[in-house]
Amino acid sequence: MAIAFDESDYAETTSSATSVAVTGVIHDAGDLLVALASVFNTSGTTMTVSDPTNGTYSVAGEMHSAADANGQVHIQYFQNAAGGTVTVTFDPTGASSDIDAVVAEISGAASASVFDVYVESEGAAVASSTYTATVSTGTLAQANNIIIGIMSHSMSTHALAAGAGRTQIAEDEDNASSQAFNAQYQIVASTSSVGFAWA
């Protein structure tokens, strides 16, 4: 079966909260669930993602901004999920966070050893208005992958569009009352390096 992006579900907090729940996540047995979050957290740097059917998700990567350690992005996943309709809870460590969260349902992924590679990058604003961050996967371990990119920023509200060949999963441009967030994906059929860029 070819790998495919089936759908996604999104939730956010617009003020300090201890966690956020993404409800109504419908998935088939064997699907890969990918949990993506952007967090502003003054009292912790890790996150637990879980749902009552599948249990606790595995961490693929998490990045904390060098410019502002409270700004974070997290990627977690659950492979070979049981199927059904679940509520996925994103629970950052600490007392309060602003959270943007999305759960993506992927079909056709491997049922074991699904995770390939995680890379990260950080950029800086230019003249207070232009921001560019680029990240490259390097050579992939296998072909027929889905590549997912997530970013956040600490500037004022700023629109971020999907790059060439990418499809946007979710976006939150408002960095005043919540944490800015943009997630994209691309399905690739070779092991060649794939780059994501946001501007």
Side-chain angles (χ1 to χ4, degrees):
M1 176 188 296
I3 196 164
F5 184 96
D6 290 351
E7 61 175 327
S8 63
D9 299 280
Y10 175 81
E12 68 175 31
T13 63
T14 55
S15 60
S16 294
T18 56
S19 65
V20 66
V22 179
T23 61
V25 178
I26 303 170
H27 61 290
D28 296 324
D31 277 359
L32 168 66
L33 299 179
V34 181
L36 309 167
S38 175
V39 179
F40 185 85
N41 189 1
T42 60
S43 56
T45 59
T46 61
M47 172 181 286
T48 299
V49 177
S50 63
D51 74 62
T53 299
N54 297 300
T56 302
Y57 290 37
S58 299
V59 176
E62 50 192 18
M63 181 179 179
H64 315 120
S65 169
D68 185 348
N70 298 325
Q72 308 163 18
V73 291
H74 299 264
I75 302 176
Q76 300 194 23
Y77 66 94
F78 196 96
Q79 61 189 10
N80 197 22
T85 302
V86 296
T87 294
V88 181
T89 300
F90 292 68
D91 185 8
T93 54
S96 64
S97 303
D98 293 336
I99 313 163
D100 284 270
V102 65
V103 180
E105 299 97 50
I106 312 298
S107 60
S111 60
S113 303
V114 70
F115 178 67
D116 190 343
V117 64
Y118 167 81
V119 290
E120 63 184 47
S121 178
E122 186 168 8
V126 178
S128 301
S129 60
T130 303
Y131 176 88
T132 302
T134 303
V135 63
S136 177
T137 64
T139 302
L140 301 172
Q142 60 185 6
N144 302 314
N145 263 308
I146 185 166
I147 311 299
I148 296 177
I150 179 176
M151 73 93 67
S152 184
H153 64 79
S154 57
M155 299 188 303
S156 58
T157 299
H158 183 71
L160 295 163
R166 321 291 190 256
T167 301
Q168 187 163 283
I169 301 171
E171 179 187 27
D172 180 4
E173 298 177 6
D174 180 6
N175 205 34
S177 60
S178 59
Q179 182 64 15
F181 171 85
N182 186 279
Q184 305 177 13
Y185 78 91
Q186 180 179 4
I187 294 174
V188 297
S190 74
T191 59
S192 299
S193 179
V194 177
F196 276 79
W198 289 266

